[in-house]
């Protein structure tokens, strides 16, 4: 059954209205809903931005029934950065939080993912499915080998998230060749609870849906977490090698090599 909504259209943001619409949605989700903030956040215009935005592409999902002039026409966002874009920016966004040396030294084609969100009005599954399809098309078009990016738990209380963080460490730690590591100045260990002592069902319920989705695709996590106080999150770095994706994900993304 086709689960795509015919009123939703995928594109890369190229117009000013599309870019501002993406920033507005990001503000609604990451600032208004989750309590984040940042140096370039515009609270007066309700726009969430940072210094990396000029170097990223933004894959957006547009509700064609809405007027772009209102800036509420963008109902889904995926911010993506290829290696050549990171070179122009001077670094990947994640490098403020993680040492990406093992990925950079691999010689493979990299794509950083971030700021993934869907409007509250469209969180019925279909919108996220279409947004993921847009990401899959982008990965194929640019022949990406490795996808990575930080994903977040809401809040900064490590103790309250000890079990889900520990479960990720024990069950989903990246292999050495993909194992990025949180920067030493802010390294937060994730093996806080012995695996045998974890209430696994409760820990899984505490893991955000986006992180669980990446794990189902065959993704894994880096070594250590990063506490992002301005954004009010605890971040983990997820890594997906397109050559190692689960069978179901291979049909969506395919091997990029």
């Amino acid at each position: 059954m086709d689960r795509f909504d015919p009123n939703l259209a995928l594109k890369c943001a190229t117009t000013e209205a599309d870019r501002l619409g993406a920033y507005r949605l990001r503000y609604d989700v990451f600032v208004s809903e989750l309590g984040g903030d940042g140096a370039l956040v515009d609270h007066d215009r309700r726009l969430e931005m940072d210094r990396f935005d000029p170097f990223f592409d933004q894959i957006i999902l547009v509700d064609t029934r809405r007027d772009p002039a209102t800036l509420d026409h963008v109902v889904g966002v995926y911010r993506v950065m290829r290696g050549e874009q990171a070179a122009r920016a001077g670094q990947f966004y994640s490098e403020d939080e993680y040492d990406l040396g093992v990925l950079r030294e691999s010689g493979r084609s990299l794509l950083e993912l971030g700021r993934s969100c869907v409007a509250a009005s469209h969180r019925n599954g279909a919108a996220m499915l279409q947004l993921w399809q847009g990401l899959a098309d982008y990965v194929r078009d640019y022949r990406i080998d490795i996808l990575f990016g930080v994903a977040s738990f809401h809040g900064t209380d490590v103790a309250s998230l000890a079990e889900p963080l520990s479960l990720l460490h024990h069950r989903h730690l990246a292999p050495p060749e993909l194992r990025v590591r949180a920067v030493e100045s802010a390294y937060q260990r994730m093996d806080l609870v012995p695996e045998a002592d974890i209430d696994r069902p409760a820990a899984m319920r505490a893991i955000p849906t986006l992180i669980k989705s990446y794990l189902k695709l065959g993704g894994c996590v880096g070594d250590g977490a990063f506490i992002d106080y301005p954004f009010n999150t605890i971040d983990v770095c997820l890594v997906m090698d397109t050559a190692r994706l689960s069978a179901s994900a291979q049909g969506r993304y395919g091997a990029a090599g």
Side-chain angles (χ1 to χ4, degrees):
M1 183 175 67
D2 187 359
R3 295 177 56 199
F4 281 10
D5 185 333
N7 296 304
L8 301 181
L10 275 165
K11 60 189 293 190
C12 272
T14 55
T15 68
E16 185 70 1
D18 285 346
R19 284 189 286 269
L20 292 176
Y23 300 154
R24 170 66 54 78
L25 175 59
R26 284 164 42 181
Y27 186 96
D28 290 345
V29 174
F30 297 115
V31 180
S32 296
E33 288 187 33
L34 301 179
D37 204 350
L40 297 184
V41 170
D42 187 331
H43 293 287
D44 292 333
R45 293 194 297 162
R46 293 177 36 235
L47 305 175
E48 191 277 306
M49 302 173 287
D50 67 22
R51 67 184 181 89
F52 290 94
D53 277 311
F55 305 98
F56 272 91
D57 286 337
Q58 294 197 90
I59 302 169
I60 60 172
L61 192 63
V62 172
D63 189 325
T64 58
R65 296 164 294 188
R66 298 183 177 183
D67 183 355
T70 66
L71 302 187
D72 70 348
H73 65 301
V74 177
V75 297
V77 175
Y78 237 124
R79 192 171 79 158
V80 295
M81 178 186 276
R82 305 185 308 278
E84 57 267 33
Q85 294 168 307
R88 292 197 294 271
Q91 64 171 91
F92 284 106
Y93 171 88
S94 303
E95 286 180 293
D96 284 341
E97 302 185 11
Y98 282 84
D99 180 348
L100 304 180
V102 292
L103 302 185
R104 283 188 170 278
E105 293 162 10
S106 70
R108 304 176 71 197
S109 176
L110 307 179
L111 183 70
E112 181 175 41
L113 313 177
R115 294 299 198 274
S116 173
C117 58
V118 171
S121 59
H122 287 71
R123 292 175 191 165
N124 58 3
M128 195 67 215
L129 183 66
Q130 285 176 253
L131 198 56
W132 277 57
Q133 185 58 57
L135 175 61
D137 292 342
Y138 192 98
V139 166
R140 281 194 294 268
D141 288 347
Y142 286 99
R143 301 181 63 82
I144 301 299
D145 295 317
I146 297 175
L147 300 89
F148 70 96
V150 296
S152 305
F153 289 85
H154 181 49
T156 57
D157 181 3
V158 174
S160 68
L161 296 171
E163 289 201 349
L165 289 172
S166 297
L167 183 65
L168 290 176
H169 175 87
H170 293 306
R171 294 289 184 93
H172 300 285
L173 187 64
E177 63 273 18
L178 299 176
R179 194 177 301 167
V180 301
R181 179 179 169 87
V183 295
E184 290 299 330
S185 60
Y187 180 88
Q188 168 61 55
R189 58 186 286 254
M190 292 170 60
D191 56 334
L192 302 168
V193 179
E195 185 174 3
D197 295 340
I198 296 173
D199 180 344
R200 192 170 185 275
M204 285 301 295
R205 287 194 296 271
I207 295 175
T209 300
L210 182 63
I211 295 177
K212 285 188 281 196
S213 297
Y214 284 132
L215 299 179
K216 288 178 183 177
L217 289 173
C220 48
V221 300
D223 178 11
F226 179 93
I227 304 176
D228 188 342
Y229 290 103
F231 227 60
N232 193 34
T233 60
I234 295 176
D235 297 343
V236 297
C237 192
L238 286 149
V239 184
M240 292 190 296
D241 184 341
T242 59
R244 302 184 185 198
L245 293 181
S246 65
S248 61
Q250 284 287 354
R252 180 177 297 169
Y253 293 101

